[in-house]
Amino acid sequence: MRNHLATQPLFDLSQPGRRGAQFPAADVPEKPLEELIPSQALATEPTGLPEVTESDVIRHFVNLSTLNMCVDTHFYPLGSCTMKYNPKRHERLSSLPGIVDLHPYQNQADLQGMLELLYVTQEMLAEIAGLPAVSLQPAAGAQGEFTALLTAKAYFEDKGEKRTKVLFPNSAHGTNPASAAIAGFDCVQLASSKEGLVDLEDLKSHLDDQTAVFMVTNPNTLGLFEKDIRQIAQMVHDVGGLVYIDGANMNAILGYTRPGDFGGDMMHFNVHKTFTGPHGAGGPGSGPIAVRDFLADFLPGPVISHDASAAEGEAYQLVTPAKSIGRVRSFYGNIGILVRGYCYLRTLGAAGLKAVSENAVLNANYLKALLKDVLPVPNGDLCMHEFVASASRSKAANGITAMDIAKRLLDFGFHAPTVYFPLVVPEAIMVEPTETESKETLDAFAETITRILKEDPEFLHQAPHSTEISRPDEVVAARHPILQCCESE
């Protein structure tokens, strides 16, 4: 039973004179604050902080924390944004004093251990990508996309070419065109085939000497592997363009294929998703990029180099590529997430990574098989790590929409999957169970959706019924968030 009193704002719980701690009497002579703090820095009146006891604070934040859903407490089938269980071992390892007590301004000779860890991480990511050059700088997947496009732009400018177009299929993540536009390119959206794959004829009609990059997620956002990816890459290369692989869905192909092997010239990793790292609500993330050798000189720096013959304390060095686009983030990247990723990769090894993809694909296809009769999946008989079902049939039959199903799932203790994306599927419900969920969890999820589809549509339109907030105006909430409970005077 939830303590609703404790979840009130601390300002509402405040009572004059209540304290969480008492300070001892001063053991030095007291002086007026005006003698200790410059007058311009002194507040003109008390700040109005809440006055509460320690138990008020503890109960408040503990109860608030239980209002959230997360992968540590619930099944989180958030398609298009892998939310797998994060092994706590990696949290412990990444919190060792020898790691967290380092400072980026320390002399490189004192950072050799960390630089070796980052160098090995670069090497492992290069091997997984099939692309030899890596920069760990980007702080998240979208920044990785943007960074790779700036790298491509610098490459073409260095060749004396001014290419203006970036192409992407209409099933692409929204960050693809956003990254291209911010990087200064014109965005060209392509149609998908009736199978949900890249339409080769539409691609061909837009390829010319102005094509800089073709961006594609593989497996794509429908959970389908682009079977013609080699031909696609050859078509782009034939006009002098580059192929960018959005690495958001690497969880499906680890150890089975590599973007560099099927024609990709650049890609980003979502270390926090594909490997490990607590993420959500905007961070923290890490989005290293891997590129072919002819793009290496343009990568953002610093990158980590290794010279086995160097003097002691100098084997690992921070270097800036010769024609680098410059830094895209402070210091060496998001170290906390990179260390977790390193631990994940070393823990699992090559065989373990392959097993990750096997089980992710197995779980997705098992769940798809359980649901396909009640929630049809328009594209593909088999999927990779995720699938996109459609609630269009239930909407036409009794008005039950994808949003109704997603919201009602919250009442049963399941996080809502992604809905209404990709746009190529009407009433889309994207489900990605990941490799870390059990058969019992998947069975319960499928049974719950089947049950929901039999409920009163009017009851579903008002769901969820058990959460603190039911259906806020999401547009207003996003554009005009109320970030404090007290109006400033």
Side-chain angles (χ1 to χ4, degrees), residues 300-482:
V303 297
I304 321 300
S305 70
H306 179 229
D307 181 359
S309 63
E312 184 178 358
E314 297 179 354
Y316 296 95
Q317 294 284 328
L318 296 166
V319 298
T320 300
K323 301 175 183 178
S324 173
I325 62 170
R327 288 177 176 269
V328 296
R329 191 189 187 283
S330 58
F331 304 117
Y332 324 142
N334 197 343
I335 298 297
I337 296 300
L338 290 170
V339 172
R340 288 171 172 84
Y342 168 88
C343 295
Y344 184 90
L345 292 169
R346 294 301 296 266
T347 299
L348 291 176
L353 291 181
K354 200 170 183 180
V356 164
S357 290
E358 290 172 352
N359 288 299
V361 173
L362 176 64
N363 274 1
N365 279 283
Y366 177 71
L367 191 53
K368 177 176 177 288
L370 293 178
L371 287 171
K372 66 178 183 180
D373 291 335
V374 293
L375 277 181
V377 179
N379 299 107
D381 294 329
L382 293 174
C383 65
M384 298 297 287
H385 64 301
E386 67 186 7
F387 61 90
V388 181
S390 173
S392 56
R393 190 172 71 185
S394 65
K395 182 180 180 181
N398 50 27
I400 298 175
T401 66
M403 184 63 76
D404 292 336
I405 297 169
K407 293 292 187 182
R408 181 62 173 145
L409 279 168
L410 300 174
D411 289 329
F412 292 94
F414 296 109
H415 191 279
T418 297
V419 293
Y420 300 114
F421 177 80
L423 300 178
V424 293
V425 175
E427 293 293 322
I429 300 179
M430 180 186 282
V431 180
E432 181 179 5
T434 79
E435 74 282 2
T436 55
E437 298 300 333
S438 68
K439 177 179 179 300
E440 291 75 18
T441 298
L442 303 184
D443 288 340
F445 182 74
E447 290 168 5
T448 301
I449 286 187
T450 303
R451 172 178 171 178
I452 288 173
L453 289 169
K454 295 176 181 176
E455 291 187 319
D456 178 3
E458 291 304 316
F459 181 71
L460 294 180
H461 295 332
Q462 305 303 317
H465 299 279
S466 61
T467 58
E468 295 292 316
I469 298 173
S470 182
R471 292 204 187 193
D473 186 325
E474 295 171 351
V475 174
V476 172
R479 293 183 177 178
H480 306 288
I482 300 174

Side-chain angles (χ1 to χ4, degrees), residues 11 69 72 92 115 167 184 217 324 354 387 401 407 459:
F11 290 94
M69 282 190 167
D72 283 351
R92 293 195 299 274
L115 294 181
L167 283 56
T217 308
S324 173
K354 200 170 183 180
F387 61 90
T401 66
K407 293 292 187 182
F459 181 71

Side-chain angles (χ1 to χ4, degrees), residues 59-93:
R59 290 173 183 171
H60 175 74
F61 285 108
V62 169
N63 277 280
L64 280 186
S65 71
T66 62
L67 298 178
N68 283 329
M69 282 190 167
C70 65
V71 290
D72 283 351
T73 58
H74 295 81
F75 177 34
Y76 211 112
L78 193 60
S80 198
C81 185
T82 310
M83 295 292 278
K84 62 171 72 173
Y85 176 74
N86 296 296
K88 296 299 174 280
R89 176 174 183 270
H90 306 147
E91 296 300 305
R92 293 195 299 274
L93 293 173

